[in-house]
Amino acid sequence: MQDASAQMAILQFMLAGMPTTAVPSSIHCDHLIVGHKGADQDLVNSIENNKEIFNFLQSAAEKYGMSFWKPGSGIIHQIVLENYAAPGLLMLGTDSHTPNAGGLGAIAIGVGGADAVDAMANIPWELKAPEVIGIKLTGKLNGWTSPKDVILHLAGKLTVRGGTGHIIEYFGPGIDTLSCTGMGTICNMGAEVGATTSLFPFVNSMSSYLHATGRGPVAEAARQHANFLRADEGAQYDKVIELNLSDLEPHINGPFTPDLATPLSKFADVVRKNGWKDEVKVGLIGSCTNSSYEDMDRVTSLAKQAVEKGIKSKAGFFITPGSEQIRATIERDGQTGVLEQVGGVVLANACGPCIGQWTRDDLNDKEENAILTSFNRNFKNRNDGNATTMNFLTSPELVTAMSLSGKLTFNPLTDPLIDASGKEFMLQPPYGDNLPQNGFIPGNLSYTPPDISHPNSAIQINVDPKSSRLQVLEPFGPGPVGEFEDLQVMLKVKGKCTTDHISAAGPWLKYKGHLENIAHNTLNGALNADNEKVNVVQNVFTGKEGAIHEVGREYQALGKPWIVVTDHNYGEGSAREHAALQMRYLGCPLILARSFARIHQTNLKKQGVLPLTFADPADWEKMHGGDVIESTEGVADLVAGRPGKNDTPEGGEILLNVRRPDGEKYVIKALHTMSKDQVDWFRKGSALNAARS
Ligand code: SF4
């Protein structure tokens, strides 16, 4: 878990009442650290500003025996690759780029906090079986092309949705030519095409990496069982894409979407055609995608040429090492010194500008400008919160070369740079070692937690009751023993209602660990079908209009349970558990939708909310805010474990007897999809209550 998503996951895990986690778990403090002046100063400031969160996470880690990687230790996925990833491992991570570990043969899946809680609390974790896209690699990368170009090219082919519901599995002779960390880069960005995960079979470069990172026995075990760690002979894929690495060109993807892929040879034309200013304002290398020793060594081979010719980077140039181990090793081996000589600023070993934690001093407000990064995401506003910053994704090598030139149209394969004496020179293609010849050094040892962390029940978890950012959760009460009665329909939602509409991100992120405070954003993006207003609903008892969360709290104070009626695919988007938690917290025990997004539907069930769908979606038209469900028929059987009247293997039927404000009555036939386990969660109030009982 990274520090942003870990907060609510741990607060929920605390409710399970377990002395330790059911699976080995770790916490990584990386997302909350702001990049600005340089590592030392930035780290001190960020620790000060987030002290409360870090103290909480550390105390929880000590109590439950989780490994705690403190601020400055590195980025979650790089640390996982260096310490935990292994061929054949199944791992969940509360971050979309968790599949980075597929570079070391792990099946590593990015999930929401609720799924991590399942794994830690020994609750079954489920995933709809994905299909498999096979990517056959032949040939060998050469010249300016690097592993990043494999995934930049594939992102262009597959688009941001092409991998959804699929695992991407690489095979073919080309895989033997790639470094382990290069494969990590490729798997990392499988998230950009929506893939469940990406992975490579066990190959020699994984063994070398395991040895270099002090895990020889893991390499040996993998070698002995190698047959289990690669596809069977003649394995069939649902779809196959072939890619000859020898023919691959360097790519630049963006701006604003990772699948807008342009081969380098065409990029200058694209710049001119769009009338973009021919300037690279800032180049950023590093992040969890591209911060390996190999990346840093190869970019240094370019920076060295610039130093020899007496020039510096024309663009701002920032380097984010992925971990303390990488930082210390490249400092020892001289790469850092060279990068600083061309004007590079080394930021803390953390996410920083990759996640928008970047204080930029080089820009007038809202000025259109271009930045090049070796990161993985480039949605608008992501890096600096400025919608007019065009953010392009490319390899660290191209970021460096183009930063040296300062021009967005620069192509190092065809264009010269100008040296200190005004003479033209061509950059020679990058080169470097995959792994340090003298081995890695750990750097500041205080960053490394012990190999095995033991739980200590005597530890008190630090949460200040007056905090606005953290709040200990109270377990939800049990579900109904019989039928529901008098459920107030507070709101009918029209159109798209994603988890962003239900629990917005942005400025609300700082309240991720405080349910009461973050609940102020509940459904603040939802369109009320009855008044066509966003986040405005009438309190039927006072006649006054208010925000949805306000009216929800008012009903709750009156002891009136309320529900919402929603449109199709309710809860699509990221698997944000807050979207389910907040509804339950504000007193909503049932949601009636035309249809649900699958993950959100499960999240609602985990929080003890009963998700029902209209048997006839046209019935959505009949219901309105202000109606009251006087009674239900079928809930009592469900919670008692008795078969219902019209049960099917997928679920059963619940009737809703509804009264309009004018007294007219009607019946809605609704359907549930509750399994036996899920009924137990509903009966006990939540999955965590069930785990504890
Ligand atoms: Fe996410 Fe960027 Fe941090 Fe990687 S470096 S974990 S992509 S924020």
Side-chain angles (χ1 to χ4, degrees):
M1 293 166 285
Q2 39 93 333
D3 47 4
S5 50
Q7 297 168 46
M8 188 52 80
I10 289 174
L11 287 163
Q12 288 182 85
F13 176 74
M14 287 161 65
L15 292 177
M18 294 167 64
T20 185
T21 54
V23 293
S25 306
S26 59
I27 299 171
H28 302 264
C29 298
D30 54 2
H31 278 57
L32 299 179
I33 295 155
V34 177
H36 184 199
K37 301 269 186 212
D40 295 344
Q41 199 178 328
D42 295 351
L43 199 55
V44 170
N45 293 342
S46 298
I47 291 174
E48 182 56 31
N49 294 338
N50 295 286
K51 201 166 46 204
E52 174 184 16
I53 305 294
F54 294 142
N55 282 342
F56 161 70
L57 295 175
Q58 181 162 12
S59 60
E62 286 168 4
K63 184 175 185 80
Y64 296 118
M66 304 169 179
S67 296
F68 181 71
W69 294 82
K70 63 186 186 178
S73 59
I75 304 171
I76 177 167
H77 309 304
Q78 181 64 29
I79 301 243
V80 164
L81 199 70
E82 289 172 359
N83 294 275
Y84 302 136
L89 172 76
L90 172 62
M91 181 182 78
L92 302 183
T94 60
D95 191 274
S96 18
H97 294 100
T98 300
N100 191 66
L104 198 33
I107 300 176
I109 300 180
V111 295
D115 298 75
V117 176
D118 289 347
M120 295 192 296
N122 221 6
I123 297 170
W125 171 74
E126 58 173 45
L127 174 78
K128 185 169 174 231
E131 300 201 324
V132 185
I133 298 175
I135 309 278
K136 184 174 181 188
L137 299 180
T138 56
K140 193 173 187 307
L141 296 171
N142 56 66
W144 281 87
T145 315
S146 78
K148 181 68 161 266
D149 298 304
V150 174
I151 190 65
L152 292 177
H153 169 79
L154 287 172
K157 266 187 122 63
L158 286 166
T159 79
V160 288
R161 277 179 299 280
T164 309
H166 290 81
I167 286 184
I168 298 180
E169 186 179 311
Y170 292 84
F171 68 104
I175 59 176
D176 292 312
T177 67
L178 297 170
S179 67
C180 175
T181 49
M183 294 188 287
T185 297
I186 295 170
C187 290
N188 177 299
M189 269 192 75
E192 274 38 72
V193 296
T196 304
T197 191
S198 301
L199 85 159
F200 281 82
F202 179 62
V203 288
N204 282 338
S205 59
M206 293 183 188
S207 179
S208 310
Y209 184 78
L210 284 165
H211 279 286
T213 50
R215 290 172 293 164
V218 178
E220 201 34 53
R223 191 167 294 289
Q224 281 171 19
H225 302 286
N227 276 344
F228 293 112
L229 301 170
R230 60 171 75 109
D232 294 341
E233 201 62 44
Q236 298 296 305
Y237 297 93
D238 296 291
K239 179 177 179 183
V240 172
I241 296 174
E242 296 203 20
L243 181 58
N244 185 343
L245 299 175
S246 307
D247 298 341
L248 187 65
E249 246 201 89
H251 276 63
I252 299 177
N253 288 25
F256 308 135
T257 182
D259 57 357
L260 184 54
T262 309
L264 176 61
S265 59
K266 306 222 163 55
F267 191 69
D269 286 344
V270 171
V271 172
R272 285 189 275 264
K273 208 166 107 207
N274 283 293
W276 294 331
K277 192 170 170 191
D278 188 10
E279 182 189 27
V280 177
K281 194 83 178 161
V282 183
L284 300 112
I285 59 171
S287 90
C288 63
T289 328
N290 274 113
S291 55
S292 65
Y293 188 86
E294 181 183 27
D295 290 329
M296 297 299 166
D297 209 30
R298 282 170 63 88
V299 298
T300 301
S301 73
L302 300 171
K304 224 182 242 162
Q305 296 176 51
V307 172
E308 281 161 11
K309 298 287 183 182
I311 61 167
K312 287 192 165 213
S313 172
K314 294 230 168 31
F317 188 45
F318 292 95
I319 302 109
T320 313
S323 69
E324 171 61 8
Q325 177 169 281
I326 294 285
R327 187 210 60 75
T329 308
I330 63 171
E331 186 175 87
R332 178 202 64 190
D333 291 353
Q335 290 94 338
T336 307
V338 176
L339 295 172
E340 285 175 341
Q341 274 177 282
V342 293
V345 176
V346 179
L347 298 175
N349 314 318
C351 301
C354 182
I355 192 66
Q357 299 276 35
W358 184 19
T359 307
R360 264 183 99 169
D361 296 327
D362 65 316
L363 206 61
N364 298 324
D365 202 26
K366 306 281 182 250
E367 178 191 339
E368 183 172 296
N369 73 108
I371 62 170
L372 285 179
T373 82
S374 71
F375 306 162
N376 46 31
R377 289 219 158 137
N378 58 350
F379 300 129
K380 228 175 221 179
N381 291 314
R382 176 163 170 110
N383 303 108
D384 60 1
N386 180 4
T388 55
T389 293
M390 295 189 289
N391 39 13
F392 296 94
L393 305 171
T394 188
S395 64
E397 294 89 334
L398 269 195
V399 173
T400 307
M402 292 174 74
S403 298
L404 289 171
S405 84
K407 285 186 183 303
L408 202 55
T409 53
F410 180 70
N411 178 347
L413 277 87
T414 53
D415 302 337
L417 289 174
I418 309 292
D419 74 11
S421 62
K423 279 207 214 92
E424 290 187 346
F425 74 100
M426 294 296 293
L427 278 174
Q428 295 310 300
Y431 59 88
D433 292 331
N434 295 350
L435 293 165
Q437 290 177 9
N438 296 319
F440 284 110
I441 49 169
N444 182 341
L445 277 172
S446 78
Y447 284 126
T448 314
D451 273 353
I452 297 177
S453 305
H454 297 285
N456 180 354
S457 59
I459 299 275
Q460 288 294 320
I461 295 186
N462 299 326
V463 179
D464 180 350
K466 292 200 226 71
S467 169
S468 64
R469 293 183 67 184
L470 286 170
Q471 181 186 43
V472 174
L473 294 175
E474 291 294 327
F476 293 129
V481 283
E483 300 295 343
F484 280 119
E485 283 175 10
D486 283 335
L487 295 177
Q488 184 66 49
V489 180
M490 187 229 273
L491 163 78
K492 177 161 90 169
V493 177
K494 182 169 153 188
K496 221 178 187 31
C497 196
T498 68
T499 47
D500 262 325
H501 294 82
I502 309 168
S503 177
W508 296 96
L509 284 181
K510 61 176 173 297
Y511 300 119
K512 276 192 114 169
H514 199 294
L515 186 54
E516 185 180 341
N517 284 349
I518 200 168
H520 283 81
N521 74 2
T522 304
L523 284 166
N524 70 5
L527 177 65
N528 184 338
D530 295 314
N531 62 12
E532 295 283 335
K533 293 180 187 167
V534 173
N535 194 24
V536 177
V537 70
Q538 189 185 43
N539 179 327
V540 293
F541 302 105
T542 63
K544 284 199 192 126
E545 286 191 334
I548 293 168
H549 84 93
E550 282 169 355
V551 176
R553 287 177 211 258
E554 286 161 11
Y555 286 178
Q556 194 178 32
L558 293 171
K560 292 273 177 209
W562 54 272
I563 75 152
V564 292
V565 173
T566 70
D567 217 325
H568 281 297
N569 214 16
Y570 176 75
E572 67 181 292
S574 65
R576 194 170 298 158
E577 72 265 36
H578 293 76
L581 268 169
Q582 289 172 217
M583 298 299 283
R584 177 77 158 99
Y585 174 75
L586 292 176
C588 171
L590 186 158
I591 292 176
L592 178 59
R594 276 180 152 164
S595 62
F596 285 97
R598 195 184 54 82
I599 293 175
H600 185 62
Q601 187 179 33
T602 309
N603 282 348
L604 287 169
K605 292 173 180 175
K606 281 180 194 160
Q607 302 305 342
V609 178
L610 181 63
L612 298 180
T613 51
F614 289 97
D616 176 1
D619 280 353
W620 178 87
E621 304 286 352
K622 281 190 196 161
M623 293 190 84
H624 296 282
D627 293 356
V628 174
I629 299 175
E630 288 188 317
S631 62
T632 54
E633 291 174 42
V635 174
D637 284 343
L638 186 70
V639 291
R642 291 190 295 264
K645 268 190 228 135
N646 293 312
D647 281 358
T648 65
E650 286 77 42
E653 191 177 285
I654 305 280
L655 294 182
L656 310 175
N657 300 311
V658 193
R659 187 187 69 233
R660 294 192 201 284
D662 63 7
E664 188 197 337
K665 299 199 177 181
Y666 61 96
V667 178
I668 296 285
K669 197 199 281 182
L671 304 173
H672 76 80
T673 55
M674 302 285 279
S675 68
K676 209 161 150 260
D677 281 344
Q678 291 166 345
V679 170
D680 195 40
W681 303 344
F682 180 58
R683 194 186 296 123
K684 292 182 174 142
S686 71
L688 284 168
N689 287 359
R692 199 173 37 179
S693 60

